[in-house]
Amino acid sequence: MVMPKAHLSADYKFEVKVFEATKPKRIPKEVSVQLKGVAGPKAIARMKKESVDCPVEKAEVGFLVCFLCPSFIRRVSGQVHCAGGQGPPKEWLL
C-alpha cells in the first residue's frame, strides 16, 4: 500500500509499507552478492520473506530488491521511504 508522504520530511516521495509475503519472491544471485557484508545472514534471511508494493514498478517486489534500488532512501518502522525516481534494474525483477 502506498501512502502519501508525511509533512515532516521532503526528501522522499512515497511511504511504502513492508509486509510479510505469502510466498517469498525469488532474489537474483546478483542482489545476494551485493548484500554480503551489508547485513548479517539472519537479517538477510528475514528480509527475503518480506515484500513491498513498489510505486515505481507498480508491482510487488521482494524487499531486498527494493533495498538495493536507486530510489530507496531508508526503512523506518515497517515503512520504506522511496524517492520515486528510477526503479530497480529490470533483470532483478523475476
Side-chain angles (χ1 to χ4, degrees), residues 31-47:
V31 172
S32 299
V33 169
Q34 288 186 15
L35 288 168
K36 298 268 190 224
V38 175
K42 285 184 181 180
I44 291 173
R46 180 180 44 84
M47 289 187 282

Side-chain angles (χ1 to χ4, degrees), residues 5-6 8-14 71 73-74 81-84:
K5 82 176 176 183
L8 298 175
S9 178
D11 65 342
Y12 60 92
K13 190 172 180 179
F14 299 106
S71 294
I73 297 174
R74 70 183 74 85
H81 292 173
C82 175

Side-chain angles (χ1 to χ4, degrees), residues 60-73:
E60 182 180 329
V61 298
F63 175 72
L64 292 176
V65 172
C66 175
F67 182 70
L68 292 177
C69 175
S71 294
F72 178 87
I73 297 174

